[in-house]
Amino acid sequence: MKRKSSWISLLLAVLICGGIAGRPLTVSSASPDEHLVLHYDFQGETDEERLANKVGGSDSGSLTVTSPGALSYVREGYAFVHSAKGEYISAELGEDVRSIQRNATMFVAFRAEGNSPSSVGDIAQIGGTVRLAIDTNNKLFTRMGSKFASDAATQKVVQSPVSRDAWVWVAVTIQYDEAGNVTEQFFLSTDEGATWSVSEFTMSGVEGMLASAQELLLGKVSRGIDDRGTSFYYRDFRLYDRVLTQEELTEIEVPAVEIEAPVTPPTEDPTEEPDPDRILSEHLVVHYDFLGNTTEEIGRASCRERV
């Protein structure tokens, strides 16, 4: 009887190790980094390196800084987008993004600046898929689908406000189906990813999503507002082609940076009285003062060469 029991135990062990009824063994999922589709970390010695997509072999392009007022820029380890209209950072997205199969995670490390916001500030957008923004009460919200710029029916607000002038990490996980049903988890960290709060939302009737994604935008105003009152610093942006867990988010590392003060051109004090002598000396080109002891001295011009 003992021998029979031993053979049965051995047979069960073989079936469990090899898979019962032909089913394969469950294998742990690959690391999150192997599922990266986009990664912009602003690291590098040149602006070209800092703006590059660090995912090798990706057909999604590098970031481009659009700054008609020369107010936005990239530095070692971070980028800055000014609140003025027309200031933003963007990248064209490739088929590697549009071919993601219904599960994704968007991660962004940012800091909002400005204490008198006049309108919503757009933190990050993947066109046709997800919009992440901050409202005038410092609450974060998302909108989903191809109509996110105008359709508030797909808007979900995280009720806990965040602090301005402080780094915030956000991860949005997305799962959706052909019927337009979306399940979203909104992860928020204010301590560099050590701890996370999570909110879960569901939406229906969402159109578009990743199959229609064309462009990534950081800091661009959705509507024609001259100045929204909120500028943004960015340290990291990532897009994964699967849903990340809270434990995996805790493992994300973003290098610390030291922010340089924005360079602003000096402005004259409008209350300061003009100095006539300074104005005359700055603009004087030729001066005949008719002073001297001889005719030659009296007729000589005092000239200042223009540079």
Side-chain angles (χ1 to χ4, degrees), residues 128-194:
T129 303
V130 59
R131 174 191 183 192
L132 172 65
I134 184 171
D135 66 17
T136 54
N137 296 314
N138 297 332
K139 293 182 179 181
L140 302 177
F141 69 87
T142 56
R143 287 186 180 180
M144 297 286 175
S146 58
K147 299 179 180 178
F148 63 54
S150 57
D151 185 5
T154 65
Q155 176 171 306
K156 300 297 179 182
V157 179
V158 177
Q159 294 302 320
S160 300
V162 298
S163 299
R164 289 174 179 254
D165 305 325
W167 288 106
V168 177
W169 293 14
V170 168
V172 179
T173 68
I174 305 167
Q175 300 177 76
Y176 60 98
D177 59 26
E178 292 182 357
N181 301 307
V182 177
T183 299
E184 170 196 342
Q185 283 189 308
F186 191 106
F187 292 91
L188 172 64
S189 176
T190 56
D191 57 7
E192 302 281 314

Side-chain angles (χ1 to χ4, degrees), residues 219-240:
K220 186 171 184 179
V221 180
S222 292
R223 299 178 182 274
I225 301 167
D226 288 337
D227 195 315
R228 67 193 159 214
T230 301
S231 302
F232 294 103
Y233 287 99
Y234 298 91
R235 277 165 59 196
D236 201 279
F237 180 92
R238 309 181 189 202
L239 180 67
Y240 300 84

Side-chain angles (χ1 to χ4, degrees), residues 8-88:
I8 291 173
S9 300
L10 180 60
L11 178 60
L12 287 172
V14 171
L15 288 172
I16 291 171
C17 292
I20 298 173
R23 287 181 297 179
L25 289 172
T26 301
V27 180
S28 60
S29 180
S31 70
D33 286 352
E34 295 182 36
H35 289 269
L36 273 171
V37 180
L38 301 176
H39 186 199
Y40 301 102
D41 62 3
F42 309 104
Q43 301 287 329
E45 296 184 0
T46 65
D47 284 358
E48 182 179 4
E49 293 174 350
R50 295 165 185 167
L51 295 169
N53 180 8
K54 298 306 195 299
V55 177
S58 172
D59 60 357
S60 292
S62 296
L63 294 169
T64 300
V65 179
T66 299
S67 183
L71 301 170
S72 303
Y73 51 82
V74 61
R75 296 287 186 269
E76 171 61 22
Y78 69 93
F80 175 74
V81 176
H82 194 271
S83 61
K85 180 181 178 181
E87 303 278 330
Y88 61 94

